[in-house]
């Protein structure tokens, strides 16, 4: 997984785009449940992801990005949702926030590992910088989780326990 700079940037654009898409779905879901506070958290995250994607694109400039090879980073589906069918629209705000947090943590680890494993100085630098940005998103979601009541109904399994 030692990316060249163009490979790194191509993956980063895809990662931020996917985050924006997933957050938009989560925001719509929370709005359908009339939870506007949590919906607006997710709408903020949509904006951050799009801003980050656009910053990366600006850095790319006229450079031709390579096609993605096998892509190790993807948002995981929540445990109750199988395959491509999308989210469970009964998902509680607490679970939605936990789900988002789990994916932010994975994004952070992804950037961190890619940066650490690369022999390209710029990929190293950007990997560390983007990982720090994702840590900030994890922290923001943690603050929201602390304020969000934990639902009494349990999920079947909790694949992503808080550390
Ligand atoms: Zn993020």
């Amino acid at each position: 997984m030692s990316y060249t700079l163009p490979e790194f940037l191509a993956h980063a654009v895809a990662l931020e785009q996917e985050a924006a898409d997933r957050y938009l779905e989560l925001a719509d879901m929370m709005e359908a449940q009339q939870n506007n506070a949590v919906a607006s958290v997710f709408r903020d995250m949509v904006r951050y992801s799009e801003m980050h994607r656009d910053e990366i694109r600006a850095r790319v400039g006229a450079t031709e990005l390579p096609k993605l090879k096998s892509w190790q980073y993807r948002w995981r589906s929540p445990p109750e949702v199988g395959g491509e069918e999308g989210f469970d629209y009964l998902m509680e705000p607490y679970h939605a926030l936990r789900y988002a947090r789990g994916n932010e943590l994975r994004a952070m680890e992804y950037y961190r590992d890619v940066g650490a494993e690369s022999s390209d100085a710029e990929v190293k630098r950007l990997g560390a910088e983007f990982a720090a940005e994702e840590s900030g998103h994890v922290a923001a979601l943690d603050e929201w989780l602390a304020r969000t009541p934990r639902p009494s109904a349990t999920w079947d399994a909790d694949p992503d326990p808080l550390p």
Side-chain angles (χ1 to χ4, degrees):
M1 199 171 44
S2 184
Y3 292 154
T4 63
L5 182 60
E7 283 170 341
F8 174 79
L9 294 171
H11 285 81
V13 167
L15 189 158
E16 298 302 331
Q17 183 63 57
E18 172 157 45
D21 292 346
R22 297 287 85 77
Y23 276 123
L24 197 57
E25 290 174 347
L26 288 169
D28 288 346
M29 187 196 312
M30 289 301 116
E31 224 159 76
Q33 296 182 20
Q34 260 113 68
N35 193 324
N36 293 324
V38 176
S40 85
V41 175
F42 290 142
R43 295 223 183 274
D44 284 346
M45 298 303 258
V46 172
R47 273 201 305 283
Y48 295 145
S49 302
E50 287 175 344
M51 266 164 44
H52 199 200
R53 178 203 62 199
D54 292 345
E55 281 166 26
I56 299 163
R57 280 195 182 142
R59 175 185 289 274
V60 169
T63 310
E64 183 93 28
L65 289 185
K67 288 234 173 359
L68 297 182
K69 295 181 201 157
S70 67
W71 190 23
Q72 296 92 336
Y73 179 84
R74 282 257 167 218
W75 278 49
R76 282 193 185 124
S77 295
E80 286 183 342
V81 179
E84 304 288 303
E85 286 131 51
F87 294 122
D88 180 347
Y89 280 80
L90 298 174
M91 195 196 272
E92 299 269 356
Y94 182 87
H95 290 140
L97 289 161
R98 280 284 302 272
Y99 165 67
R101 184 198 189 275
N103 283 291
E104 290 289 347
L105 193 62
R106 289 177 56 239
M108 189 274 279
E109 290 166 351
Y110 178 79
Y111 281 135
R112 185 196 62 198
D113 293 348
V114 168
E117 286 168 34
S118 181
S119 45
D120 183 297
E122 185 67 356
V123 172
K124 275 192 174 308
R125 194 183 69 76
L126 288 174
E129 181 187 314
F130 293 0
E133 191 163 329
E134 300 305 337
S135 298
H137 296 166
V138 172
L141 291 168
D142 277 340
E143 281 176 30
W144 274 95
L145 276 162
R147 284 186 251 165
T148 304
R150 194 184 180 118
S152 49
T154 54
W155 259 357
D156 292 348
D158 191 346
D160 215 357
L162 293 170

